[in-house]
Amino acid sequence: MIEREQVLHVAKLARLGLSEEEVERMAGELSGILEHVDRIGELELDDVPPTSHVVELENVLRADEPHESLDRDVALAQAPDPVDGAFRVPSPQAEG
Amino acid sequence: MTDMLELTAVQAQEAMASGDFSPAEYGKAWAEAAAEDELNAYLWRDGNGDAEAISVEEPSLAPVAVKDIFCTEGVPTTAGSRILEGYRPAYTSTAVRRLIEAGAPVLGKTNMDEFAMGSSNENSAYGPVLNPWDRGRVPGGSSGGSAAVVAGGLAPWAIGTDTGGSIRQPASLCGIVGLKPTYGAISRYGMIAFASSLDQCGPLTRDVRDAALMLSVLQGADPCDSTSVGLGEAPSLPDREDLRGLRFAVPSELARDAIEPGVREVFEATLARIEQLGGEIAEAPLPHAEHGISAYYVIAPAEASSNLARYDGVRYGMRSEGSGDLIEMYETTRAEGFGSEVKRRIMLGTYALSSGYYDAYYGQAQKVRTKIASDFSAAFAEFDFVVTPTSPSVAFGLGEKTSDPLAMYLNDFFTVPMSLAGIPAISIPAGLAEPAGGGPRLPVGFQIAAPAFAEQKLLAAAHALEGAIGFDARPEGVRG
Amino acid sequence: MAELEAVIGLEIHVQLATKTKMFCGCELSFGDEPNVHTCPVCLAHPGVLPVTNEQAILYALKIAAALECEVAPRSIFHRKNYFYPDSPKAYQISQYDIPIASNGRLGDIRIHRAHLEEDAAKMIHVGDSGRIHGSGASLVDFNRGGTPLVEIVTEPDLRGAAEAAAWARLLRETVRQLGVSDVNMEEGSLRVDANVSVRPAGSDELGTKTELKNMNSFRFLERGMEAELARQRELIEAGGTIVQETLHFHPEDGTLHPLRSKEEAHDYRYFPEPDLVPIAPTEQMIREARESLPELPAARATRYEGEMGLPQDVAALLAADPETAGYFEQVAGSASDIEPRVVANWVTGELAAALRQDGGEVTAAESKVESGALALLIGMVQEKKISHGSGKTVLATLVAEGGDPEAIVEREGLAQISDSGEIESIVAAAVEANSEAAEQILSGNQKAIGVIVGAVMKETKGRADGGEVNRLIKKQLGL
Ligand SMILES: [Mg+2]
Ligand SMILES: [Zn+2]
């Protein structure tokens, strides 16, 4: 069962603003899905190696050769707030 | 001369090569057909003058409808999301580049579930796609737009992506062929990521030969994708007509009572057809497949939560107006930019990876993945293929399952295990069936899965079976 | 209360001097206009994928070899998830539970691990954004974003600020000599964070540690650690307890300030990077890394001490500077009959002083003093052909204009007076002229001999041997 507090904590980690109504709904929906998912917790899999990859490749490496970078205008073309050749963002709260 | 638009892509290629009609004429005919879209299947179509970047100098292949998840330089690419509204990539995906280089123009970009998350195409920020067989029903998802344009006569063929069934299930619901290749067969570079360890590009076509032709163009290792290997050899067009000597496994655990009666009937009839063609049918245990959905709905959202973290309003895409400090800017931008299914999966995935829950969810799901893959290996030690219905039901009504996410997820029951194992699987139309609630008959897909990199063999068997089934039904008003 | 001993571990981020970034082909740069070295990959555009830079792997293997680390047969990358504008993907690709290298050492200090990762972009605070009054804004420059880094983590083996700073210098020299990084602290290509704690001397438990960041020179590093150790000792002695926190060092006033505590604990949600495959260094890659190593400062210092009999401090000083060390070895090679210890003293003492005097702009190896010339000069002093003082005079000339020391001695008339009769008479005259000093010597004041030596040297223009003059004065006085 996912509590409201957990929903708020996870939303914070995910930088996802949720309305009050979404928090309530999310708590119910996540609980339902996780209840189903929890059945894999009952499987005896202690000695089973995890699979994070199905390809069996190793050492896929790139030669250290420069490619052409984007024109700065192109790099900034889609930015919501380009200023002085850079991407402007609201400051994080002042640190230290 | 027959109507150009009735030809398959393979037939059209041959006709153009022998001068029956010009690529320009053919392309124009398809552009006109695509302009008739009443299914909300296209988000963008060529022909409005801003597509210079993806034009082809000497077309030699049929034009392709491209799922809007593939980056196309200078051409809007939204992945069905509000957060990428108006976004025009600075580069083109490898898959689309290969198509262009092979002489296939891009006909348009197709609608999809937002960031490929969905099984009904109702999660697009740009409205649902309608099923050409019944506009009150969903086309399936997430490659619903690509399936609908092919089935609806709005494109000769299309590409989509499949993470847990997103090519096969809409192909099934729209009565066309959909192939999910082996993971690594086709480059993922430029394909907007949903779940990186599962995402795979593949064709949605009218028939199996078209799927083979498209695959031969798309496959290959790509220096821009470290996980791509290609197929070693491009597949040739299949011409097999029987199934003698081939062994088909039906999972012993196949939950027949979870399958709609009409779908079950078509499935059993198809098994009989396989035997008529000389194939052998037997049951094989796949004991962990039933846990596929659980593992999938941990792994895919976990990877997605990380893949979608880059949509933060800093470098491209939308930023919420009037945001305050940095954290508020992030939170409001993402709140306004993402739809509810995407939010749900980001939440689910973030939770599964968060401190204290990793082992129980993500770690355990990866172990289930290992077991599912080894179940398949064991089956393939004795069998050539594993077969199931593609989807437990025919196309369902718009809005029918939107209030119950778990019920929606269970749609992927038969397609998810192959995705987790990384093996190729194809859905071919096997017949029509009446929906559970009654109504006109709708397409039913038959899924065939093969060992990794056995695409050539898979296409050959699918081609033989397709010929024997002889599925030639078309939605009302669609040529074919 | 038992004395509180310092326990320090260091985390060092080394920017690799590859041509291109860790996961894309953008060129590395320093000091260029913002955002001129970016591409869809390092800007984290939708759909892009990372591809690992082979050179970064080879450089990491060199570092691993130099630090005597074990190399993981299959190391993997993870995603470290966190939102910040300097992290375009909102995750850093880094190594987590299986780093490329572990369990090494440099000198007496154990290396816990060394892993590969990518650097963050640069943010510049620019004041009010105009959006919300007083909230401020930052500009993000992605030129640096994605630069390959090797993060080296030591065990908490260092026992004081000075020791830690000295060891960090040794590490910097070692990495510099590998040729894999510019190791420039001001430019940020070497960044050192310190984990600092104290505990009762003799205890083997670890106290609560604080993490010190933002120390962009070795001097600041040492001062920062000193300040923090003093704070911790004071706090504990006053009965307080240390809180685990991250502190920023402010070099202007030498103070440490805690970073504002985050609203929620860090939860990086690490998981294996699905876009990359494992790194499995081949035998050949590991062998080549090992064989490419130059003789590194620690080994060189050991050789100088053991084989050449240099004192530890001189050995360490020379070994830390490979160019001067090479010069020293040339001089020692051409003066095989002179003890290396003497040559080392000339190189690190007289020659270094003369070069400083001359403006300090060139190193010994770059100077006009040919190694053979210095060898000859030292030989002349050793054989008492010229006095030590004259030797310094000749050296100053060599530094200024180069040339042959014998010719300079000849030209300047610096050859030592070898006629003992001539010196004897000068000594006799000097004793006579300084009878007061002579009396003092006779009554036991040995220091007074300096007055008479000075007089002799003045008379001979420094061409007499100091020891010989001493002996003759005492002989003259019947001592
Ligand atoms: Mg680090
Ligand atoms: Zn780049």
Side-chain angles (χ1 to χ4, degrees):
Chain A
M1 195 62 203
I2 302 296
E3 307 291 335
R4 204 190 123 74
E5 291 314 307
Q6 281 170 290
V7 172
L8 290 173
H9 171 71
V10 173
K12 189 98 224 167
L13 284 176
R15 296 286 186 264
L16 208 49
L18 295 180
S19 68
E20 198 46 45
E21 185 248 319
E22 281 178 309
V23 173
E24 290 304 321
R25 191 155 43 83
M26 207 66 90
E29 287 170 352
L30 294 186
S31 297
I33 297 163
L34 288 170
E35 200 177 309
H36 182 85
V37 166
D38 276 337
R39 295 189 326 193
I40 60 171
E42 291 156 21
L43 297 172
E44 203 26 82
L45 301 175
D46 285 352
D47 301 326
V48 178
T51 297
S52 51
H53 253 287
V54 289
V55 288
E56 289 179 5
L57 295 167
E58 285 176 346
N59 292 346
V60 179
L61 304 171
R62 166 181 66 79
D64 186 23
E65 285 158 10
H67 67 196
E68 214 165 298
S69 289
L70 289 176
D71 272 353
R72 185 160 75 179
D73 294 347
V74 175
L76 289 164
Q78 316 261 341
D81 190 14
V83 171
D84 295 338
F87 299 83
R88 184 160 67 177
V89 293
S91 267
Q93 298 286 306
E95 281 183 350
Chain B
M1 193 177 77
T2 50
D3 184 346
M4 292 184 281
L5 303 189
E6 286 180 21
L7 302 175
T8 65
V10 169
Q11 291 164 342
Q13 181 195 23
E14 287 162 358
M16 288 189 285
S18 56
D20 293 358
F21 48 81
S22 75
E25 282 176 84
Y26 182 61
K28 185 160 173 286
W30 274 114
E32 283 165 10
E36 303 293 305
D37 176 19
E38 291 173 357
L39 305 172
N40 194 31
Y42 281 110
L43 292 178
W44 176 90
R45 274 177 289 105
D46 192 10
N48 40 5
D50 59 353
E52 281 170 52
I54 52 170
S55 66
V56 173
E57 267 173 34
E58 276 180 59
S60 58
L61 284 175
V64 189
V66 170
K67 188 178 183 178
D68 203 31
I69 201 166
F70 291 92
C71 285
T72 37
E73 185 177 346
V75 170
T77 302
T78 67
S81 182
R82 191 64 69 202
I83 211 159
L84 283 176
E85 192 165 6
Y87 173 68
R88 287 168 188 260
Y91 76 109
T92 296
S93 61
T94 300
V96 171
R97 192 173 48 72
R98 281 182 185 270
L99 287 167
I100 292 170
E101 285 170 5
V106 173
L107 191 53
K109 302 289 291 287
T110 60
N111 200 349
M112 56 182 284
D113 281 307
E114 184 177 5
F115 287 108
M117 297 178 191
S119 310
S120 69
N121 231 298
E122 293 162 293
N123 298 332
S124 168
Y126 305 97
V129 177
L130 312 181
N131 188 315
W133 293 82
D134 177 348
R135 296 184 184 186
R137 292 176 185 270
V138 304
S142 65
S143 308
S146 284
V149 293
V150 175
L154 305 172
W157 56 357
I159 58 171
T161 60
D162 188 313
T163 304
S166 279
I167 287 175
R168 291 161 285 164
Q169 186 256 14
S172 167
L173 269 48
C174 288
I176 61 167
V177 171
L179 170 68
K180 183 203 90 75
T182 305
Y183 183 86
I186 301 173
S187 171
R188 292 183 294 120
Y189 186 68
M191 198 172 100
I192 296 178
F194 160 19
S196 313
S197 77
L198 298 159
D199 295 344
Q200 207 23 229
C201 164
L204 293 107
T205 56
R206 287 192 186 171
D207 69 5
V208 176
R209 282 166 70 90
D210 277 7
L213 175 60
M214 177 84 86
L215 180 64
S216 71
V217 171
L218 293 171
Q219 69 85 29
D222 177 9
C224 293
D225 177 0
S226 311
T227 64
S228 68
V229 280
L231 293 174
E233 205 178 312
S236 55
L237 295 185
D239 51 15
R240 184 167 180 146
E241 282 170 6
D242 67 78
L243 297 173
R244 272 193 292 274
L246 296 175
R247 289 173 56 83
F248 293 74
V250 177
S252 345
E253 301 81 4
L254 194 72
R256 285 182 163 77
D257 51 355
I259 306 170
E260 239 176 33
V263 172
R264 203 161 62 214
E265 230 169 83
V266 171
F267 180 66
E268 303 295 348
T270 310
L271 295 181
R273 187 91 63 184
I274 288 173
E275 285 177 319
Q276 284 164 19
L277 289 172
E280 214 179 301
I281 307 268
E283 287 197 351
L286 283 172
H288 296 89
E290 62 161 314
H291 298 291
I293 288 290
S294 296
Y296 177 83
Y297 278 96
V298 170
I299 293 169
E303 293 181 8
S305 72
S306 176
N307 283 329
L308 270 58
R310 69 187 57 198
Y311 305 103
D312 60 3
V314 175
R315 297 164 314 287
Y316 49 76
M318 69 157 274
R319 175 190 291 189
S320 168
E321 284 303 319
S323 334
D325 70 5
L326 179 68
I327 290 184
E328 204 181 319
M329 187 277 277
Y330 283 150
E331 289 181 344
T332 52
T333 295
R334 291 164 61 79
E336 290 167 23
F338 291 138
S340 58
E341 180 61 25
V342 169
K343 288 181 188 171
R344 189 153 42 231
R345 301 221 193 164
I346 289 175
M347 290 290 290
L348 189 55
T350 304
Y351 177 80
L353 289 174
S354 68
S355 168
Y357 297 98
Y358 181 95
D359 289 340
Y361 290 110
Y362 195 72
Q364 188 76 355
Q366 287 195 319
K367 291 178 173 185
V368 173
R369 192 172 183 180
T370 306
K371 295 301 280 185
I372 289 174
S374 54
D375 284 356
F376 274 114
S377 299
F380 289 134
E382 287 179 46
F383 293 88
D384 298 285
F385 306 106
V386 170
V387 295
T388 72
T390 307
S391 170
S393 73
V394 295
F396 43 92
L398 286 160
E400 203 177 293
K401 296 186 181 180
T402 41
S403 58
D404 184 352
L406 185 58
M408 187 71 93
Y409 296 172
L410 289 169
N411 257 299
D412 303 335
F413 190 82
F414 296 123
T415 50
V416 150
M418 294 76 178
S419 295
L420 290 168
I423 58 174
I426 194 168
S427 177
I428 60 170
L432 296 174
E434 198 176 297
R441 301 198 311 154
L442 294 163
V444 173
F446 183 80
Q447 177 177 235
I448 313 170
F453 303 107
E455 269 82 348
Q456 185 72 70
K457 196 170 150 187
L458 175 63
L459 289 163
H463 173 72
L465 185 56
E466 169 187 62
I469 293 168
F471 181 86
D472 59 3
R474 291 288 175 271
E476 224 180 271
V478 174
R479 290 156 297 214
Chain C
M1 188 185 265
E3 201 192 320
L4 291 172
E5 116 183 302
V7 179
I8 297 172
L10 299 179
E11 287 177 22
I12 300 102
H13 284 86
V14 176
Q15 269 188 0
L16 300 181
T18 49
K19 290 197 194 77
T20 67
K21 294 183 178 183
M22 184 72 207
F23 297 114
C24 71
C26 287
E27 266 182 282
L28 297 194
S29 65
F30 180 79
D32 283 344
E33 290 280 292
N35 293 303
V36 294
H37 299 286
T38 71
C39 71
V41 175
C42 57
L43 289 174
H45 278 208
V48 297
L49 298 168
V51 186
T52 308
N53 184 339
E54 179 175 34
Q55 190 67 59
I57 304 295
L58 299 178
Y59 281 178
L61 291 174
K62 276 191 164 197
I63 292 176
L67 301 181
E68 299 173 42
C69 287
E70 291 162 19
V71 172
R74 277 174 111 248
S75 69
I76 61 170
F77 287 102
H78 270 66
R79 291 186 183 179
K80 179 181 181 179
N81 295 283
Y82 67 97
F83 284 88
Y84 209 67
D86 67 4
S87 172
K89 299 184 293 297
Y91 55 82
Q92 180 195 31
I93 302 178
S94 179
Q95 295 194 302
Y96 180 54
D97 54 4
I98 318 176
I100 189 161
S102 56
N103 296 327
R105 62 170 50 249
L106 177 65
D108 296 334
I109 305 307
R110 291 171 300 154
I111 305 294
H112 176 61
R113 60 185 279 159
H115 70 252
L116 277 157
E117 60 185 29
E118 54 178 339
D119 208 347
K122 207 164 78 186
M123 276 172 76
I124 309 143
H125 190 78
V126 289
D128 207 305
S129 69
R131 286 177 171 274
I132 278 200
H133 179 69
S135 68
S138 298
L139 295 182
V140 196
D141 168 13
F142 289 96
N143 283 349
R144 191 187 70 181
T147 298
L149 295 177
V150 166
E151 180 176 339
I152 299 165
V153 183
T154 75
E155 296 291 350
D157 287 352
L158 295 149
R159 291 289 169 271
E163 186 196 347
W167 184 84
R169 283 193 173 92
L170 172 66
L171 178 73
R172 179 180 61 169
E173 268 326 304
T174 303
V175 175
R176 186 208 304 282
Q177 292 183 32
L178 295 175
V180 302
S181 171
D182 298 336
V183 289
N184 184 323
M185 280 180 102
E186 284 77 34
E187 291 180 2
S189 53
L190 182 77
R191 304 197 286 270
V192 186
D193 301 336
N195 291 311
V196 175
S197 64
V198 295
R199 68 179 173 200
S203 158
D204 30 298
E205 265 163 50
L206 293 173
T208 305
K209 69 180 182 193
T210 55
E211 192 182 359
L212 269 54
K213 285 187 178 290
N214 195 32
M215 296 173 292
N216 50 17
S217 77
F218 286 107
R219 213 158 51 80
F220 294 159
L221 171 67
E222 191 171 342
R223 275 173 55 200
M225 289 187 293
E226 264 164 9
E228 176 55 11
L229 285 168
R231 186 189 72 88
Q232 291 192 11
R233 286 190 170 115
E234 215 169 289
L235 189 61
I236 289 177
E237 275 154 14
T241 46
I242 308 298
V243 182
Q244 182 156 358
E245 61 188 335
T246 302
L247 301 167
H248 242 227
F249 181 63
H250 290 224
E252 313 81 45
D253 55 2
T255 55
L256 291 156
H257 297 274
L259 283 174
R260 197 177 63 96
S261 63
K262 294 274 151 63
E263 281 155 59
E264 84 272 349
H266 272 301
D267 183 345
Y268 291 122
R269 289 159 281 133
Y270 281 99
F271 73 99
E273 166 59 285
D275 290 332
L276 292 171
V277 301
I279 304 294
T282 58
E283 279 299 317
Q284 193 193 343
M285 285 161 86
I286 294 171
R287 194 177 57 242
E288 279 175 9
R290 212 180 290 132
E291 286 169 359
S292 75
L293 294 190
E295 185 184 33
L296 294 167
R300 198 185 277 248
T302 306
R303 179 164 64 84
Y304 287 176
E305 266 188 81
E307 288 174 23
M308 303 179 92
L310 265 53
Q312 192 194 350
D313 55 339
V314 179
L317 187 69
L318 272 175
D321 177 355
E323 209 191 338
T324 306
Y327 179 82
F328 154 71
E329 292 193 32
Q330 277 179 21
V331 179
S334 27
S336 52
D337 47 345
I338 304 173
E339 274 185 64
R341 192 173 43 80
V342 174
V343 174
N345 284 339
W346 273 88
V347 171
T348 60
E350 280 81 355
L351 177 58
L355 291 169
R356 259 197 313 278
Q357 197 83 51
D358 194 50
E361 270 161 25
V362 292
T363 63
E366 294 161 353
S367 76
K368 293 181 181 148
V369 189
E370 302 285 332
S371 58
L374 182 60
L376 209 57
L377 177 62
I378 299 171
M380 288 164 77
V381 174
Q382 285 294 104
E383 290 160 23
K384 302 197 194 302
K385 285 184 182 152
I386 59 171
S387 69
H388 194 264
S390 298
K392 287 208 240 177
T393 309
V394 174
L395 188 56
T397 308
L398 285 174
V399 165
E401 51 200 57
D404 171 20
E406 280 177 337
I408 296 167
V409 167
E410 179 87 4
R411 193 175 77 205
E412 315 268 318
L414 293 170
Q416 194 148 297
I417 302 165
S418 47
D419 179 344
S420 61
E422 190 186 342
I423 297 181
E424 245 174 291
S425 64
I426 294 170
V427 167
V431 169
E432 196 129 321
N434 296 282
S435 54
E436 211 171 300
E439 303 238 325
Q440 284 177 16
I441 298 167
L442 288 168
S443 58
N445 182 358
Q446 290 295 321
K447 276 187 187 166
I449 200 167
V451 177
I452 301 176
V453 173
V456 174
M457 288 304 182
K458 196 177 171 196
E459 183 61 27
T460 61
K461 298 195 176 73
R463 290 178 302 138
D465 177 65
E468 178 72 1
V469 172
N470 254 292
R471 195 181 61 77
L472 289 173
I473 294 169
K474 287 178 184 165
K475 187 182 163 201
Q476 183 80 24
L477 293 173
L479 291 169

